[in-house]
């Protein structure tokens, strides 16, 4: 029988791709971890790892197994956090928002909800839209605030109840010493002529922006891709390159100025929606939805 211990050990090996590092992370001996992996292979009935020199590589069976057990280990980790935080013995609501699109509405929403319902423990998570929706689908989160494009995109189309919340405008931003800093407006062609810092392609908002330029026959001059909006902000502040930021990031940085571009402004403004599982209903969910309705 495959146990939760096997799953956690296997996940650690897959994450580090190194038995020694995984054993250190798990605070167990390397022989004990190797034995557990042999037990898991016996239960599965197929090898999970191949050795290529000093490296280990996942077999196809291992990749399938990892995909299947990830939701289980996520739920177990979440349960342990709830026990540690004492939320099992009180009301709680688990809310996630995407780092770029959701940031425009999430802070005020969280503040209003906490003010109105101090008896409910609000557990907040931040991340990439698809990751947040996967956690929602697996029951790790109760509601997610992110872009509207997931509502019609595979594999999420039609999977959740959604509620329109607001719009999240992104702005083209430059440092104060940038050649375009004193301009009131620019064209898409001018933006494409200067280096920009962009989020990685895994962020739908990045693909959305690039598509808006490509539709007009321009390709952005991307100097760097990153996973962090803070990195985008800092590189823009330094004057190294321009980029696209949500309004809260612009308001908090005196070294950045936004420059309007009427050609693309509508294309880089994303509607924000609240996603929740169909059939989900509870007192805390109703309180959260009521708070949203009273503030939109």
């Amino acid at each position: 029988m495959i146990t939760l211990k096997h799953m956690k050990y296997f996940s650690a090996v897959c994450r580090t791709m190194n038995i020694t590092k995984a054993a250190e992370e798990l605070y167990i001996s390397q022989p004990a971890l190797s034995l557990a992996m042999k037990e898991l292979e016996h239960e599965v009935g197929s090898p999970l790892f191949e050795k290529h020199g000093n490296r280990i590589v996942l077999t196809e069976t291992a990749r399938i197994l990892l995909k299947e057990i990830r939701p289980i280990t996520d739920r177990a980790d979440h349960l342990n956090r709830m026990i540690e935080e004492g939320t099992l013995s009180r009301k709680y609501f688990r809310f996630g928002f995407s780092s770029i699109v959701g940031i425009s509405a999430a802070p005020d929403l969280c503040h209003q909800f906490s003010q109105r319902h101090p008896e409910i423990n609000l557990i907040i998570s931040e991340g990439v839209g698809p990751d947040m929706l996967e956690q929602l689908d697996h029951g790790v989160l109760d509601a997610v605030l992110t872009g509207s494009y997931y509502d019609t995109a595979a594999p999420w189309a039609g999977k959740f109840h959604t509620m329109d919340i607001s719009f999240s405008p992104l702005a083209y931003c430059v440092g104060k010493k940038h050649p375009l800093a004193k301009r009131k407006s620019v064209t898409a062609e001018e933006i494409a002529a200067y280096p920009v810092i962009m989020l990685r392609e895994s962020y739908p908002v990045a693909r959305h922006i690039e598509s808006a330029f490509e539709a007009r026959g321009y390709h952005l001059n991307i100097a760097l891709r990153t996973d962090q909006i803070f990195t985008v902000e800092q590189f823009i502040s330094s004057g190294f390159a321009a980029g696209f930021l949500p309004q809260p990031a612009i308001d908090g940085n005196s070294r950045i100025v936004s420059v309007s571009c009427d050609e693309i402004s509508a294309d880089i403004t994303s509607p924000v929606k609240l996603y929740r599982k169909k059939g989900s209903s509870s007192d805390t969910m109703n309180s959260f939805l009521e708070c949203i309705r009273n503030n939109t």
Side-chain angles (χ1 to χ4, degrees), residues 35-95:
L35 177 61
M37 292 302 94
K38 289 185 182 299
E39 292 173 349
L40 183 57
E41 287 181 326
H42 176 74
E43 291 292 338
V44 172
S46 177
L48 298 174
F49 307 101
E50 295 175 352
K51 293 206 74 173
H52 289 192
N54 293 326
R55 298 184 303 113
I56 60 171
V57 178
L58 299 182
T59 65
E60 181 61 25
T61 300
R63 286 192 286 270
I64 295 172
L65 180 63
L66 180 61
K67 182 179 179 181
E68 293 298 321
I69 71 171
R70 186 165 282 155
I72 301 172
T73 55
D74 285 348
R75 291 296 299 272
D77 290 341
H78 178 68
L79 178 60
N80 285 328
R81 285 195 299 270
M82 289 175 64
I83 293 171
E84 291 171 3
E85 295 166 358
T87 54
L88 282 178
S89 59
R90 60 175 296 190
K91 290 182 178 181
Y92 64 90
F93 190 80
R94 303 162 301 177
F95 171 66

Side-chain angles (χ1 to χ4, degrees), residues 17-287:
M17 296 304 291
N18 185 290
I19 293 290
T20 302
K21 288 182 180 178
E24 291 174 354
E25 182 181 298
L26 295 165
Y27 298 102
I28 63 172
S29 68
Q30 182 176 332
L33 180 56
S34 297
L35 177 61
M37 292 302 94
K38 289 185 182 299
E39 292 173 349
L40 183 57
E41 287 181 326
H42 176 74
E43 291 292 338
V44 172
S46 177
L48 298 174
F49 307 101
E50 295 175 352
K51 293 206 74 173
H52 289 192
N54 293 326
R55 298 184 303 113
I56 60 171
V57 178
L58 299 182
T59 65
E60 181 61 25
T61 300
R63 286 192 286 270
I64 295 172
L65 180 63
L66 180 61
K67 182 179 179 181
E68 293 298 321
I69 71 171
R70 186 165 282 155
I72 301 172
T73 55
D74 285 348
R75 291 296 299 272
D77 290 341
H78 178 68
L79 178 60
N80 285 328
R81 285 195 299 270
M82 289 175 64
I83 293 171
E84 291 171 3
E85 295 166 358
T87 54
L88 282 178
S89 59
R90 60 175 296 190
K91 290 182 178 181
Y92 64 90
F93 190 80
R94 303 162 301 177
F95 171 66
F97 67 96
S98 59
S99 306
I100 310 304
V101 177
I103 191 64
S104 61
D108 286 341
L109 179 57
C110 291
H111 175 70
Q112 292 296 328
F113 182 73
S114 296
Q115 289 289 104
R116 295 184 182 189
H117 299 281
E119 77 283 2
I120 299 176
N121 182 23
L122 182 61
I123 303 169
I124 308 169
S125 300
E126 178 188 8
V128 184
D131 292 346
M132 294 286 98
L133 291 176
E134 185 172 354
Q135 291 186 51
L136 176 63
D137 192 34
H138 293 153
V140 177
L141 294 173
D142 297 309
V144 168
L145 196 67
T146 188
S148 63
Y149 22 75
Y150 299 111
D151 198 17
T152 55
W156 313 115
K159 201 165 193 177
F160 305 111
H161 284 306
T162 62
M163 178 189 294
D164 293 332
I165 301 296
S166 63
F167 286 88
S168 176
L170 295 176
Y172 175 67
C173 302
V174 298
K176 285 198 169 179
K177 295 184 179 180
H178 192 278
L180 299 178
K182 295 186 184 299
R183 297 276 298 277
K184 289 185 177 180
S185 64
V186 294
T187 65
E189 183 178 10
E190 288 175 311
I191 292 176
Y194 290 91
V196 294
I197 306 296
M198 293 291 292
L199 293 169
R200 296 194 190 280
E201 297 97 324
S202 56
Y203 287 81
V205 67
R207 298 196 300 270
H208 193 62
I209 292 170
E210 291 171 58
S211 295
F213 280 86
E214 290 169 2
R216 291 164 174 80
Y218 305 117
H219 290 275
L220 289 173
N221 178 9
I222 300 173
L224 172 69
R225 288 190 183 275
T226 177
D227 289 312
Q228 301 294 329
I229 193 66
F230 178 75
T231 302
V232 176
E233 180 184 341
Q234 291 304 301
F235 269 94
I236 295 173
S237 298
S238 74
F240 176 76
F244 300 87
L245 289 172
Q247 196 61 47
I250 303 167
D251 294 340
N253 192 325
S254 60
R255 295 186 296 161
I256 290 176
V257 295
S258 61
V259 185
S260 67
C261 179
D262 293 338
E263 285 181 74
I264 62 165
S265 60
D267 292 326
I268 62 174
T269 297
S270 175
V272 180
K273 288 192 173 188
L274 183 80
Y275 294 75
R276 59 189 177 93
K277 290 190 77 169
K278 289 184 175 179
S280 62
S281 180
S282 66
D283 290 343
T284 53
M285 175 67 77
N286 292 335
S287 296

